[in-house]
Amino acid sequence: MRLELGKIKIKDVQFGDTTKVENGTLYVNKQEIINLIMEDEHIKSVDVDLAKPGEETRITPVKDVIEPRVKVEGPGGIFPGVINKVTTVGTGRTHVLSGAAVVTCGKIVGFQEGIIDMTGPGAEYTPFSKTYNVCLVIEPVEGLKQHEYEAAARMAGLKAASFIGKAGLNVQPDEVEVFETKTLLESIAQYPNLPKIGYVYMLQTQGLLHDTYVYGVDAKKIVPTILYPTEVMDGAILSGNCVSACDKNTTYHHQNNPIIHDLFEKHGKELNFVGVIITNENVYLADKERSSNWTAKLCKFLGLDGAIISQEGFGNPDTDLIMNTRKIENEGIKTVIVTDEYAGRDGASQSLADADPKADAVVTGGNANEVIELPPMKKIIGMLDYTDKIAGGFDGSLKEDGSIVAEIQVITGATNELGFNKISATSF
């Protein structure tokens, strides 16, 4: 599969009469977005606001972040199985409004939702302080069940991102990146002397607002399978979970998975990037055994020399992470795991809920229990009502002056296992 990503660099966002991109500025028609979102009978009201890097703005509680993209050439469309038909994506050309994002927020769905600060110390921990954000503040109808509200908020974000992404359809990109994965036999023949590396991509699937979707299917219903890396870039994987804000993979994280990008960067030079194996994180032991067995089997089937394994969430999924690692290592395949830590505020506690001597190559996203003080902001998009309740917050986290003292797990993307710093996890 060969995919061209045409990056249209967004340097500002403003409201306008027409939704368009002009000279690096994204103009958004606010009423068009409202009308689109209000087609859903589950939503009582929605407001649209803008947040820019460097502004004294706080967005909370954050549910998801999505990058606007549009399919220009090739089969299918962005977010297949949800917004567009279930067609295999990952080929052709896709235009990206690089630097722009749609952020869904508003009344809390589940306690594991987060905060984005556009300036100050909190901004240093989240990639979304650097994006130009179109924020949807969503109010559900009275009596709506939590999972129905999550679904409505998720669809609102995807619809808005798809609508805004179309503004880049006929815009000349500032940069075009090309990503290609050949068939297994072709790839091995092309780089016979390079180590064959795969990426084991663990998806949060514990249910109860901890869900991820693949081509529109709840991933807890799947068995591990193989994807072309470029399918992920076209929105084949979507977030539907409220796992702690610091380590959840938003839809934006999936679209811009930095492990995939880094492996492509080293492909043909230091390693042979064979492909992606997606697997789920289950609740019951039998399901964990099944998925880890299949994951190890697929690694062996592909003839891998090494695998990078990334996790989403913490606690219960630590078991899936270690089971995958142990079984893949038992097949004679070297592994590197990418995870964050919950090591207590002093950093002295066991950082993972499970461990194994074979898991001896680790890239850490940091300690989510570290305490941070977030200064007050002049503007709040959303509401501060839930500051003391969200994961990482506690009674008294919100101070009278609007400042917040909490663990950094309240910050969206703070210790994310995918991260957005360069990951050099390919020394096997």
Side-chain angles (χ1 to χ4, degrees), residues 236-262:
I237 300 178
L238 306 175
S239 173
N241 75 70
C242 301
V243 71
S244 286
C246 68
D247 60 4
K248 76 174 286 181
N249 294 335
T250 65
T251 298
Y252 188 105
H253 284 91
H254 292 302
Q255 294 170 294
N256 294 278
N257 187 309
I259 296 177
I260 289 177
H261 278 261
D262 283 5

Side-chain angles (χ1 to χ4, degrees), residues 291-348:
S291 289
S292 57
N293 287 343
W294 276 61
T295 300
K297 177 182 68 175
L298 289 174
C299 287
K300 183 178 181 180
F301 177 74
L302 292 176
L304 300 183
D305 299 302
I308 294 178
I309 310 170
S310 71
Q311 175 190 14
E312 182 174 16
F314 65 99
N316 186 292
D318 292 350
T319 302
D320 301 85
L321 175 67
I322 297 303
M323 291 174 78
N324 283 325
T325 302
R326 184 175 62 251
K327 293 177 182 181
I328 293 169
E329 287 272 352
N330 285 342
E331 294 292 351
I333 301 166
K334 296 181 180 180
T335 61
V336 173
I337 65 175
V338 185
T339 181
D340 64 357
E341 303 176 57
Y342 281 77
R345 295 179 185 178
D346 60 359

